[in-house]
Amino acid sequence: MGSTKSELTACTLDCPDGCSLLITSDAQGNVSIKGNPSHPFTAGFTCRKIRDFMQRLQSPNRITRPMLRRGKSWQPVSWEDALDLCAEKIQLYRKEPASILHVHGESVKGALKQSSKLFFARLGASRVRGSLCDAAGYVAYVADFGSRKNHELADLLNSGRIVNWGKDLSRSSIHTAALVRRARQQGAKVLTISPGGDGNGPFSDEFVRIPPGSDRFLAAAVVRLLMDNGRVTDEILSHTNSWKAFREIIRSYPLEHLAALCDVTFLDIQRVSSWYTENGPTATIVGAGLQRYSFGGENVRFINALAFLSGNIGRAGGGSYFHLHSLRNLNLDWTKDPENKPRRSFLMPIIGRNILEAKYPAVRMIWVNGSNLINQAPNIHETIRAFETIEFKVVVDAFMTDTAERADVFLPCALMFEQEDIGVSYLHDFVHQVREVFPPPGEARTDHWILSELGRRLDPPIWLPEAEDCLRASLNSPFLSTSLEELRENHFVQAKHSPVAYPGMQFDHPDRKYRLPTELHEEPPPPEAYPLRLLTLIRRETIHSQILPEKQTEPPTVWIAPDCLCLGHLDLLEEVYLVSPLGRIKVRVEVTPGLHPDVVIYRRGDWMKLGGGANQLIAAELTDIGNGAPFYQQCVRLENNEVE
Ligand SMILES: Nc1nc2c(c(=O)[nH]1)N[C@H]1C(S)=C(S)[C@@H](COP(=O)(O)OP(=O)(O)OC[C@H]3O[C@@H](n4cnc5c(=O)[nH]c(N)nc54)[C@H](O)[C@@H]3O)O[C@H]1N2
Ligand SMILES: Nc1nc2c(c(=O)[nH]1)N[C@H]1C(S)=C(S)[C@@H](COP(=O)(O)OP(=O)(O)OC[C@H]3O[C@@H](n4cnc5c(=O)[nH]c(N)nc54)[C@H](O)[C@@H]3O)O[C@H]1N2
Ligand SMILES: [Mo]
């Protein structure tokens, strides 16, 4: 019998909050995971995903031995045999290194996690680019501001008004939600703009409901009103170089037309306008949902234009918040190939099509770590077809996911709390020591160990730096002043950044000026047979597709509005299918008040093999900028029986 033991570590899930954690194991072996009470940002609380994480580490469905495909079944093999086979295949394919494709997902954050990129860069293998997450929004910000920076999040406490454009505060970031709550206690007011049906009720004073994908028209309408009322000052205009072209676009749209495009009243436009011009300063929070559209980048750029032209950028209490780059505070030069070999790249949002079309050379081997790409990228069946053309497929994971299922070799990885790393966040500026609190179970190993062992088997070998050296090199950043030893001692350190982004409206373009967007595209109407928009949103209790198989027992639930037109012809007591031109999924329908009538909500990440997999229905396309995935552009219908 041991005694109670507490250890500090940090979360490496793909979540903005990146919590500092206190893990306590008692004498009976019970483990509790709590937010670190002495961490300035985590402030002693954390979310359900973490509190339940031991269930994931200890799941009976977790796989902890390497396995080799034998026809339709799997055969456990030793690490020796598994790695020898992988080495033999890499030797074969490296004659044409572009025939090897490395897919590294978004799911695990951390410095050491980046070492797989170095391994495949040294091989000269093909890589992925673009993103399934926030690329359209991110690139939109860079286009506007010249870089991607937020105010320190606590600056929300200096705001008089906060406009939340579609971030689900109740689910996606509980620490942002807590700060918004505190700001409201101090008198700030919050307006949420979204298609409704989200968890923002308790965090908002007012709402404007808009149809999906129409934010840019609402923002443009408010700008038009500001212009018409002479509210755009010369002082602000002196900080941009693209006013004339922008003004022409806005002038070419009458207010009534813009109002019709986002289905709001003149009063709504006035209301949003007052939110940006009275009782400020006004902070703008931009969610990731509204950039998952064909014109997702444009949606974000028009919102930013409104924040800028109303004088709410570059000042305390103002600012426009979006995801930051999670690795911005580290130095990752060590992940670059010293020889800088040329590499072919594949676009993540259209990866299936890209693989199928690849020639000279075709993709012959794929290595996937930290990604459930078949489940999470659009058009599952195309991605599967692409997988099937690849001769040798390796998936490093801990569960038999929709992706792992289709591998030739499955390699079991260590998970969070089972490996040392440096933790980062795409929201706050703390950098954390991540401790190995539990030894990896069975034969599970870290990605770094796996690739180091594989590299030494190659001829010529590929040597990865020791794990400690990767961590040390990562800390050698202009934003940090800590050694690895100090970080291990102190558990976290705060990177140095200005608390207000772009003070004095000095932007990061070479001429220091802000860039306004110069195009505004109208939204194509939905095809007649598919009148509803499919919003595949996050779940509160899990991250992405990391849902335990033992918990996926029900058919997926979808939510529609009480005034959804489809209710006229749908019998909810019969079987209901969610249908797009790409396929159909049997679902359970629930009605939720407040949701826009043109919307179906599906909480994403459940597995196709267990009856889920919304990406079966979603077409693989690209967003206007940034090579993101316009998941929410997808139109669908609900029906009882297949229409011939
Ligand atoms: N329909 C639809 N799909 C979407 C989106 C959407 O809006 N709509 N948005 C998406 C967004 S925001 C994102 S960020 C992406 C996320 O998509 P992915 O990056 O694919 O994320 P996960 O589903 O979490 O899959 C990660 C896998 O890595 C495994 N894993 C965990 N830790 C480790 C480790 O240390 N090593 C290795 N080798 N594996 C590990 C997990 O078990 C899991 O199976 O997909 C998105 N997909
Ligand atoms: N619990 C949990 N937390 C997570 C994650 C998770 O899987 N689970 N994933 C993390 C990751 S990687 C990401 S990217 C973030 C995503 O976090 P969010 O940005 O909150 O992401 P989504 O759920 O994709 O979409 C959020 C909201 O967008 C709104 N929305 C949809 N379309 C529109 C539109 O056209 N206009 C407006 N104004 N609003 C719209 C919807 O109302 C929805 O509530 O969350 C992170 N945090
Ligand atoms: Mo994401």
Side-chain angles (χ1 to χ4, degrees):
M1 294 279 272
S3 56
T4 299
K5 189 171 122 195
S6 287
E7 286 187 85
L8 280 177
T9 184
C11 180
T12 56
L13 293 184
D14 180 17
C15 172
D17 295 39
C19 291
S20 173
L21 300 171
L22 184 65
I23 302 192
T24 307
S25 314
D26 71 13
Q28 285 73 41
N30 301 313
V31 176
S32 85
I33 308 175
K34 295 208 168 86
N36 176 3
S38 30
H39 189 281
F41 192 83
T42 303
F45 65 97
T46 188
C47 71
R48 270 271 294 281
K49 312 192 281 296
I50 290 306
R51 292 198 301 270
D52 295 345
F53 202 77
M54 290 312 290
Q55 293 176 15
R56 189 162 174 81
L57 296 186
Q58 298 170 343
S59 164
N61 281 305
R62 181 161 175 192
I63 299 167
T64 59
R65 296 182 69 178
M67 299 208 293
L68 201 60
R69 170 166 301 287
R70 289 265 182 256
K72 286 201 158 71
S73 57
W74 290 99
Q75 181 194 342
V77 289
S78 65
W79 272 110
E80 282 297 309
D81 289 352
L83 291 171
D84 284 349
L85 176 64
C86 293
E88 183 193 311
K89 296 288 185 183
I90 290 182
Q91 278 310 112
L92 173 68
Y93 299 125
R94 79 189 294 190
K95 290 174 198 132
E96 273 186 315
S99 69
I100 302 171
L101 172 60
H102 176 224
V103 177
H104 172 277
E106 324 259 3
S107 73
V108 249
K109 300 294 185 217
L112 189 57
K113 285 285 148 213
Q114 309 307 314
S115 58
S116 69
K117 291 185 187 161
L118 172 61
F119 183 95
F120 289 96
R122 288 203 165 158
L123 262 182
S126 296
R127 63 187 173 92
V128 287
R129 69 192 167 95
S131 140
L132 300 179
C133 182
D134 54 11
Y138 195 98
V139 171
Y141 272 87
V142 175
D144 295 339
F145 295 87
S147 64
R148 180 70 281 276
K149 293 174 182 168
N150 280 350
H151 293 214
E152 191 184 328
L153 196 67
D155 187 57
L156 284 175
L157 300 175
N158 297 320
S159 306
R161 301 253 169 145
I162 297 171
V163 183
N164 171 21
W165 294 79
K167 185 167 183 70
D168 189 343
L169 291 173
S170 76
R171 291 184 174 84
S172 69
S173 170
I174 59 167
H175 288 86
T176 307
L179 263 165
V180 168
R181 190 182 292 127
R182 267 179 65 198
R184 287 179 79 207
Q185 283 162 356
Q186 297 185 14
K189 296 271 185 258
V190 179
L191 167 69
T192 289
I193 300 169
S194 80
D198 49 47
N200 286 314
F203 303 99
S204 314
D205 299 279
E206 288 192 28
F207 302 87
V208 171
R209 194 180 73 178
I210 56 169
S214 66
D215 301 73
R216 61 190 180 284
F217 307 116
L218 177 56
V222 179
V223 169
R224 169 92 207 206
L225 197 61
L226 297 182
M227 276 165 58
D228 291 353
N229 294 339
R231 303 289 300 244
V232 181
T233 67
D234 289 346
E235 153 59 12
I236 289 165
L237 294 182
S238 71
H239 294 286
T240 179
N241 68 357
S242 32
W243 170 241
K244 277 194 183 142
F246 178 79
R247 186 181 59 191
E248 288 320 304
I249 306 176
I250 300 288
R251 278 189 180 157
S252 68
Y253 280 87
L255 207 49
E256 308 76 64
H257 186 40
L258 290 170
L261 289 172
C262 56
D263 195 18
V264 298
T265 61
F266 183 67
L267 279 179
D268 288 328
I269 298 171
Q270 274 184 321
R271 202 146 57 95
V272 181
S273 166
S274 72
W275 222 271
Y276 274 96
T277 51
E278 291 164 23
N279 304 321
T282 302
T284 296
I285 297 178
V286 176
L290 57 82
Q291 50 99 59
R292 303 186 205 278
Y293 291 90
S294 302
F295 295 107
E298 227 171 71
N299 281 334
V300 172
R301 294 200 66 190
F302 275 83
I303 294 169
N304 282 338
L306 168 57
F308 168 71
L309 291 170
S310 61
N312 285 295
I313 294 297
R315 62 190 284 208
S320 178
Y321 295 83
F322 187 66
H323 293 171
L324 295 162
H325 197 296
S326 59
L327 299 168
R328 69 197 175 285
N329 291 321
L330 303 180
N331 180 344
L332 291 171
D333 286 348
W334 63 270
T335 62
K336 298 192 182 119
D337 167 31
E339 292 168 39
N340 200 16
K341 289 184 219 37
R343 298 177 72 189
R344 178 168 66 173
S345 61
F346 290 71
L347 288 165
M348 207 59 186
I350 53 169
I351 184 129
R353 189 153 82 236
N354 265 189
I355 293 173
L356 288 167
E357 286 170 356
K359 296 197 178 72
Y360 320 115
V363 179
R364 300 180 69 191
M365 170 172 175
I366 189 169
W367 182 285
V368 182
N369 58 277
S371 166
N372 186 3
L373 95 133
I374 287 185
N375 180 281
Q376 291 289 79
N379 202 341
I380 291 187
H381 294 291
E382 190 171 55
T383 317
I384 291 175
R385 279 201 305 284
F387 247 60
E388 283 167 354
T389 64
I390 302 175
E391 291 158 22
F392 188 65
K393 304 171 281 291
V394 182
V395 175
V396 188
D397 207 307
F399 292 88
M400 199 48 81
T401 63
D402 286 333
T403 308
E405 232 191 8
R406 289 171 174 82
D408 298 295
V409 175
F410 178 99
L411 302 178
C413 66
L415 290 172
M416 181 159 79
F417 307 145
E418 297 171 348
Q419 47 192 319
E420 187 183 19
D421 210 328
I422 294 171
V424 291
S425 155
Y426 50 97
L427 176 66
H428 63 66
D429 276 313
F430 289 89
V431 168
H432 296 144
Q433 186 219 4
V434 177
R435 276 241 284 264
E436 180 187 323
V437 179
F438 308 105
E443 294 177 37
R445 295 287 184 273
T446 67
D447 293 273
H448 181 269
W449 181 91
I450 295 169
L451 289 170
S452 301
E453 289 298 314
L454 180 58
R456 73 169 72 239
R457 286 170 161 79
L458 299 176
D459 178 22
I462 289 183
W463 300 111
L464 282 185
E466 295 291 326
E468 283 229 352
D469 293 335
C470 301
L471 298 179
R472 246 178 253 291
S474 303
L475 291 175
N476 183 18
S477 141
F479 304 110
L480 298 173
S481 48
T482 185
S483 65
L484 183 59
E485 286 67 29
E486 284 164 345
L487 187 64
R488 283 173 174 159
E489 177 84 20
N490 302 326
H491 304 294
F492 57 84
V493 61
Q494 188 168 18
K496 291 185 280 294
H497 290 280
S498 160
V500 170
Y502 314 107
M505 284 192 268
Q506 293 299 299
F507 299 100
D508 284 342
H509 288 295
D511 61 2
R512 298 277 169 189
K513 306 275 191 217
Y514 187 90
R515 301 282 188 276
L516 292 159
T518 50
E519 282 185 299
L520 178 60
H521 290 87
E522 294 202 14
E523 200 62 15
E528 221 171 281
Y530 303 97
L532 302 172
R533 285 297 191 111
L534 178 60
L535 303 193
T536 41
L537 309 181
I538 54 169
R539 292 164 184 256
R540 184 170 286 124
E541 65 283 5
T542 46
I543 192 97
H544 306 318
S545 73
Q546 300 185 35
I547 313 172
L548 287 173
E550 56 268 34
K551 293 198 169 165
Q552 299 184 50
T553 49
E554 304 277 326
T557 302
V558 297
W559 289 265
I560 55 174
D563 51 345
C564 180
L565 280 182
C566 74
L567 281 169
H569 63 78
L570 212 55
D571 184 348
L572 295 186
L573 299 174
E574 294 288 319
E575 286 187 348
V576 180
Y577 295 88
L578 181 66
V579 187
S580 86
L582 292 178
R584 62 204 315 256
I585 299 178
K586 188 174 158 187
V587 292
R588 221 161 47 112
V589 180
E590 282 188 23
V591 169
T592 185
L595 182 60
H596 194 281
D598 295 347
V599 171
V600 184
I601 290 180
Y602 184 119
R603 298 243 163 241
R604 68 183 180 247
D606 51 357
W607 299 3
M608 182 176 74
K609 67 181 201 180
L610 302 173
N615 280 313
Q616 291 180 79
L617 307 184
I618 298 178
E621 302 290 345
L622 293 172
T623 50
D624 50 352
I625 51 176
N627 293 316
F631 293 104
Y632 302 176
Q633 198 71 31
Q634 184 62 52
C635 295
V636 292
R637 66 168 175 258
L638 285 163
E639 68 187 20
N640 288 118
N641 294 303
E642 209 161 350
V643 177
E644 292 303 322

